[in-house]
Amino acid sequence: MNIVILAAGQGKRMKSALPKVLQTLAGKPLLQHVLATALSLQGKNAKNGPIVVVGHGATDVKDFLDLASEQDATYRKVSTALQAEQKGTGHALLQALPKLDVNEPTLVLYGDVPLTSKQTLSKLAKLADGVRGQDSALALLTQNLDKPTGYGRIVRDVDGSVKEIVEEKDATPAQKRIQEINTGIMVLPTQALKKWLKALRASNAQGEYYLTDVIAMAVKDGVPIRTAQADAEYETVGVNSRDQLAALERVHQLNQANLLMDAGVSLADPARIDIRGTLECGTDVFIDVGCVFEGCVTLASGSRIGPYCIIRNSAIGKGVIIHPYSHIDGAKVGAGSLIGPYARLRPGADLANDVHIGNFVEVKNSKIASNSKANHLAYVGDSIVGSRVNIGAGTITCNYDGVNKHQTIIEDDVFIGSDTQLVAPVRVGRGATLGAGTTLTKDAPPNQLTVSRAKQISLQWQRPVKQEKKVVAKKLTAKTQVKKVSSKKSVKAKK
Ligand code: UD1
Ligand code: MG
């Protein structure tokens, strides 16, 4: 099946420098949602990928497509057709015509209608295919709306068959009362479409080439017209303004929350979770309010995510507890670990089982073996940490010399006293203890106490005594008091 995505419109109401189809829903451009559905509908073996009709912001849209194909090879099938001037939906589709395979039907989608499901589109495609040996048809996705204002109306004959689509601006008062609207999504027989598009005229209220005018042409040519409706209204909702985008975002997030709950995940509040990517969960996972998941995140069984955590591209192991306000990006957290509150795991943080990372601890590009702890105020960067290591409060791996990054190696069973700096490259041998306040610039041998510290001395001294200040309070004279009162009065009077 050919798929054409109309995306040349400007989207004036967004009041944005960005073309409308690149505005994001769930962290992904609107167009990417449509493309993902289109690509999965066509399947891996399709000869031609979806064709995007670009116009307004064409360079930005093409740049986005280039980037997407770099990250995901399936996007390489996507091509574009330029509509230099926006003369209507019919004119837009005309630009894609040379790329269409005439032996396949053509599905038309809009780049600003992001949430149409694959099931709904397959249903529509089947309808156009010709049910039970009937001829192939033109299939329209329609919707019944309480407030149909602004949409093209589906005009039916007395026998119920579709006669034409009339745009709001061209409709008679009686036609305006029709509640069945054109969603814009349709499947058309391509050979006939070629002929119809070339015959379009812009003789209407908007002076545009309406794609919707092909419906009457199809009726004239005896092509059967069938209609289907989407399961849910949000599937056919287009985005024109920021409030519509925000509303659709909430609908989408609630749908995702419901899917999670159906799969056995507990959410403290399904209205307060944001998934901008994919979130895979095991059984008995609990997610508290205000969490944001980005990219690819997995939460293994029994893990609990505290309120207001942000987790991106990370794998959280079984039974892990993430306390509130933790920020986790590109990390692996082993089973049974405790993280946060206020912890920060950065890319390359790789924690084995039962690791404890406490408040205000930052871990970057470091492997930490099982049962090790850094419970308070520490920076662990470019390090390899063994098992059962205790990293005291205020410990810092000084990994950066201003030019290059260096590695710190801390072997098993090391105890690092508070406020220690490990100036990398440096190694702390197995079982070593570093005294609090040590600035380690050379390797510490195993099983010994290494300490670098000014020698402690005690002196007899007298703590300074606070001197009493002699303050003479100025008393207000009767005169100044009168002055103050009168100036207040005059302020009031002015008001
Ligand atoms: C269109 C339909 C209307 C339908 C409504 C559903 C026509 C004539 N009307 O109206 O029946 O109820 O959508 O939302 O088809 N586009 C281009 N190039 C153009 C014009 C539009 O690529 O020259 C793209 C837009 O970017 C958008 C889509 O086509 O993705 C729809 O265009 P829009 O201007 O919103 O059409 P409507 O007037 O809303
Ligand atoms: Mg529109």
Side-chain angles (χ1 to χ4, degrees):
M1 183 166 58
N2 303 295
I3 300 185
V4 182
I5 301 171
L6 306 187
Q10 183 178 12
K12 265 190 214 147
R13 280 185 277 162
M14 298 301 287
K15 299 201 173 80
S16 171
L18 209 62
K20 180 166 69 174
V21 291
L22 295 188
Q23 301 287 342
T24 55
L25 181 106
K28 222 162 61 176
L30 296 173
L31 179 60
Q32 201 175 349
H33 287 270
V34 184
L35 280 171
T37 314
L39 285 163
S40 93
L41 198 66
Q42 283 183 325
K44 278 193 187 129
N45 302 324
K47 274 180 287 168
N48 305 315
I51 303 150
V52 184
V53 179
V54 294
H56 263 286
T59 328
D60 290 336
V61 177
K62 283 184 189 165
D63 285 350
F64 154 71
L65 290 172
D66 287 344
L67 195 73
S69 0
E70 261 173 46
Q71 292 166 352
D72 181 345
T74 52
Y75 284 88
R76 288 190 199 140
K77 278 190 184 167
V78 179
S79 68
T80 58
L82 181 69
Q83 186 194 23
E85 244 186 294
Q86 283 70 58
K87 297 184 188 168
T89 48
H91 181 255
L93 190 53
L94 193 64
Q95 312 311 308
L97 212 54
K99 296 195 167 189
L100 302 182
D101 178 349
V102 288
N103 301 313
E104 300 267 337
T106 298
L107 166 66
V108 177
L109 299 174
Y110 288 177
D112 54 4
V113 179
L115 297 182
T116 322
S117 73
K118 188 181 165 187
Q119 291 81 334
T120 294
L121 296 177
S122 312
K123 185 167 77 179
L124 197 69
K126 271 207 194 107
L127 212 56
D129 248 1
V131 264
R132 281 180 243 109
Q134 292 170 321
D135 285 344
S136 62
L138 193 159
L140 294 172
L141 193 67
T142 72
Q143 187 80 52
N144 279 73
L145 295 180
D146 292 339
K147 290 180 190 157
T149 312
Y151 291 97
R153 309 295 208 283
I154 308 292
V155 182
R156 290 183 184 264
D157 229 333
V158 273
D159 65 357
S161 61
V162 176
K163 243 169 64 179
E164 59 174 338
I165 295 179
V166 182
E167 291 305 300
E168 168 93 17
K169 287 190 176 137
D170 305 291
T172 63
Q175 286 170 335
K176 280 184 186 163
R177 282 195 292 275
I178 299 172
Q179 288 183 313
E180 190 185 8
I181 62 103
N182 169 35
T183 64
I185 295 169
M186 53 182 90
V187 180
L188 309 111
T190 307
Q191 190 73 57
L193 177 67
K194 253 186 160 172
K195 186 185 100 181
W196 297 332
L197 284 180
K198 284 175 184 158
L200 284 181
R201 294 292 169 263
S203 48
N204 49 55
Q206 301 187 80
E208 285 185 3
Y209 296 89
Y210 291 164
L211 173 57
T212 44
D213 282 352
V214 305
I215 310 306
M217 295 179 184
V219 173
K220 216 167 145 204
D221 285 354
V223 174
I225 304 198
R226 307 198 180 103
T227 60
Q229 302 215 331
D231 293 337
E233 202 176 301
Y234 68 81
E235 286 194 43
T236 57
V237 169
V239 172
N240 297 301
S241 57
R242 302 224 184 225
D243 64 321
Q244 287 173 353
L245 181 59
L248 204 58
E249 175 83 40
R250 285 346 300 164
V251 169
H252 179 56
Q253 292 301 344
L254 197 59
N255 290 342
Q256 297 194 112
N258 286 328
L259 286 176
L260 281 179
M261 293 191 293
D262 287 349
V265 176
S266 281
L267 300 179
D269 181 356
R272 283 185 286 169
I273 176 170
D274 282 82
I275 302 163
R276 301 172 190 155
T278 56
L279 176 61
E280 264 178 50
C281 296
T283 52
D284 297 308
V285 166
F286 171 76
I287 302 171
D288 215 322
V289 299
C291 292
V292 179
F293 298 91
E294 297 179 340
C296 247
V297 176
T298 55
L299 306 177
S301 298
S303 55
R304 298 177 70 82
I305 314 298
Y308 304 105
C309 290
I310 297 171
I311 306 183
R312 178 191 298 137
N313 294 326
S314 294
I316 309 300
K318 277 188 184 169
V320 167
I321 297 180
I322 314 241
H323 291 294
Y325 301 104
S326 292
H327 192 282
I328 297 173
D329 180 8
K332 237 169 90 184
V333 179
S337 292
L338 304 178
I339 309 295
Y342 299 101
R344 181 163 185 218
L345 303 183
R346 290 172 51 200
D350 183 352
L351 318 185
N353 295 352
D354 300 302
V355 168
H356 295 185
I357 299 294
N359 44 258
F360 306 106
V361 173
E362 175 180 345
V363 181
K364 184 214 77 171
N365 187 33
S366 294
K367 255 182 127 83
I368 302 184
S370 62
N371 296 93
S372 287
K373 296 173 184 172
N375 274 333
H376 334 264
L377 303 149
Y379 173 62
V380 180
D382 302 310
S383 304
I384 295 179
V385 179
S387 290
R388 299 170 301 279
V389 168
N390 193 323
I391 296 176
T395 296
I396 289 172
T397 55
C398 310
N399 58 334
Y400 187 49
D401 59 13
V403 187
N404 295 307
K405 299 278 171 72
H406 303 280
Q407 195 176 48
T408 299
I409 296 173
I410 302 169
E411 294 180 355
D412 292 346
D413 300 297
V414 163
F415 181 94
I416 298 179
S418 301
D419 195 25
T420 294
Q421 299 105 55
L422 300 117
V423 182
V426 76
R427 174 189 290 264
V428 184
R430 176 187 271 265
T433 299
L434 302 187
T438 292
T439 300
L440 194 74
T441 52
K442 288 179 285 187
D443 290 356
N447 301 317
Q448 293 186 30
L449 168 68
T450 298
V451 59
S452 85
R453 204 185 268 177
K455 206 172 170 106
Q456 182 169 326
I457 54 168
S458 302
L459 304 170
Q460 291 296 340
W461 83 313
Q462 179 65 53
R463 187 183 286 175
V465 179
K466 188 164 180 146
Q467 281 187 347
E468 279 296 319
K469 274 190 196 154
K470 282 187 185 162
V471 189
V472 188
K474 249 191 183 174
K475 276 189 184 162
L476 287 176
T477 62
K479 238 184 180 177
T480 52
Q481 268 176 352
V482 169
K483 245 189 192 170
K484 272 205 159 172
V485 170
S486 63
S487 71
K488 256 190 198 165
K489 262 191 186 164
S490 67
V491 169
K492 257 194 183 166
K494 268 182 201 164
K495 273 186 185 168

